[in-house]
Amino acid sequence: MRHARTRYVGLDVHQESIAVAYAREERDAEVICLGTIGTRQCDIDTRVRTLTSKATHVVLVYDAGPCGYWLYRYLTKKQLRCWVVAPALVPKQAGDRVNTARRDATQRAQLRRSGDLTPVYVPAVEDEAIRDLSRAREEASRERQAAKSRLKAFLWRQEIRYEGRATWGPAHRRGLAEVVCPTPAQPMVFQAYVRAVSEPQERLQRLEAERREQVPAGRLHPVVQALQAMRGVQCTVAVTLIAALGDLTRVDHPRPLMRSLGLTPTEYSSGARRRHGPMTKAGHTFARRALIAGAWADRSPAQGSRQLP
């Protein structure tokens, strides 16, 4: 029996199981579901041997999710073609509300065969480590800001106002140490809010120190330095942007980068009418927020700083 030349394999990856379905390259061929397998390497190897024994080429695809890119890296080490796609960019039928592992794997195999999927960029292991470090720093910063807002709201409810100029500086912290609450129960709440501010601050300082140590040793450090030559782009903005985008040489036009950052405008056009709306905000949220912060900094007057090495 002649083996099919290409099989398109759709995977639905979970923490403990992987649903598998495949489609032959003929357009009218039925998509066949092979059930689920475990996530152990022996389970994956057994299924891969079964697929490769009946086809010349095997093309695999699965959705990006909380399980990360370990499966992609494992399959590519075995010289297999594998795509990781963004779930938000997968075409869906209007009114389709059924979502199961079997259906997802079947649809991914069918859409990969029809060419309706676009792969996302999978960073290298060392690049993903910098991305995780950048995201952890951003999350700590947001937690600190939220904790400050809760502490400020608590003080306002007690009619306690800080009369100084700069908030959250040494003078402000000394003033917080002298706050006297009117009831015995409120000091415990006040101290809890103060600790909620100090803990993310300490974690943020540790993450920034680690970033200063790890980024110069990375392969993308020259790009980070080059980006800092632009006004409004300091180390935090440059590292966050490069950690999200990765190797910029993989694209030959700015449009894919703008789409991945969600900076392209929305469009509502019908007939002769053509209207553009705000940016889509689809893509790397942290990188887009860092770019917007850099743009706001660019509006301020330029200040002298040390020269980059």
Side-chain angles (χ1 to χ4, degrees):
M1 179 179 179
R2 185 176 64 88
H3 291 171
R5 288 178 295 174
T6 305
R7 282 194 177 184
Y8 300 96
V9 182
L11 306 174
D12 190 58
V13 182
H14 297 276
Q15 185 177 2
E16 301 294 339
S17 63
I18 302 175
V20 185
Y22 76 90
R24 296 193 297 270
E25 61 182 347
E26 295 82 6
R27 294 290 180 176
D28 56 347
E30 182 183 1
V31 182
I32 300 175
C33 183
L34 300 178
T36 60
I37 62 174
T39 56
R40 299 177 301 175
Q41 293 184 2
C42 59
D43 299 330
I44 299 172
D45 293 341
T46 301
R47 184 62 68 192
V48 167
R49 282 195 299 267
T50 303
L51 293 169
T52 54
S53 64
K54 298 180 180 181
T56 307
H57 303 287
V58 175
V59 181
L60 302 102
V61 60
Y62 70 95
D63 290 351
C67 294
Y69 302 118
W70 68 269
L71 182 58
Y72 169 87
R73 298 187 178 109
Y74 181 73
L75 294 173
T76 52
K77 283 183 179 180
K78 292 183 169 295
Q79 307 301 320
L80 294 171
R81 295 173 57 190
C82 182
W83 277 14
V84 182
V85 298
L89 300 180
V90 175
K92 294 182 180 179
Q93 294 181 355
D96 186 4
R97 305 279 179 142
V98 180
N99 183 17
T100 64
R102 179 191 179 99
R103 283 175 61 93
D104 284 349
T106 302
Q107 290 175 355
R108 299 306 176 265
Q110 188 174 10
L111 292 173
R112 180 65 181 91
R113 181 179 63 183
S114 62
D116 293 328
L117 296 177
T118 303
V120 300
Y121 169 70
V122 178
V125 176
E126 55 272 16
D127 296 342
E128 189 177 13
I130 299 299
R131 177 184 292 185
D132 292 338
L133 189 61
S134 178
R135 288 179 176 177
R137 182 203 171 279
E138 179 69 18
E139 291 169 357
S141 179
R142 296 177 66 178
E143 290 178 11
R144 180 188 62 176
Q145 187 62 36
K148 287 181 178 179
S149 299
R150 288 191 292 267
L151 176 58
K152 189 181 295 184
F154 174 80
L155 295 176
W156 284 350
R157 291 196 300 269
Q158 312 307 320
E159 295 185 358
I160 300 174
R161 301 289 187 269
Y162 175 64
E163 303 297 337
R165 294 183 178 180
T167 57
W168 306 112
H172 188 195
R173 296 183 184 277
R174 287 194 299 269
L176 290 176
E178 300 173 356
V179 169
V180 178
C181 298
T183 62
Q186 289 173 332
M188 182 178 296
V189 178
F190 174 70
Q191 293 300 327
Y193 282 140
V194 171
R195 286 194 300 271
V197 174
S198 60
E199 289 174 358
Q201 176 66 28
E202 295 172 358
R203 187 166 73 251
L204 185 61
Q205 293 175 354
R206 292 194 300 269
L207 290 170
E208 288 180 344
E210 185 67 20
R211 185 190 65 184
R212 288 192 296 268
E213 181 180 349
Q214 296 295 331
V215 171
R219 65 183 185 92
L220 298 177
H221 182 240
V223 185
V224 173
Q225 285 187 309
L227 286 177
Q228 294 182 63
M230 296 186 293
R231 281 193 58 190
V233 179
Q234 295 183 351
C235 181
T236 301
V237 177
V239 171
T240 304
L241 182 62
I242 294 302
L245 298 180
D247 189 2
L248 299 180
T249 60
R250 60 189 172 86
V251 294
D252 54 0
H253 198 275
R255 255 188 217 115
L257 294 179
M258 295 300 102
R259 284 198 298 267
S260 64
L261 292 172
L263 297 177
T264 55
T266 56
E267 184 175 352
Y268 304 92
S269 301
S270 178
R273 186 183 67 176
R274 186 176 182 182
R275 185 179 64 179
H276 291 280
M279 58 185 180
T280 59
K281 296 183 180 180
H284 299 286
T285 304
F286 293 157
R288 182 174 62 253
R289 187 181 295 115
L291 276 178
I292 293 174
W296 278 105
D298 183 59
R299 293 168 57 93
S300 304
Q303 297 180 358
S305 61
R306 66 176 181 85
Q307 293 183 354
L308 295 177

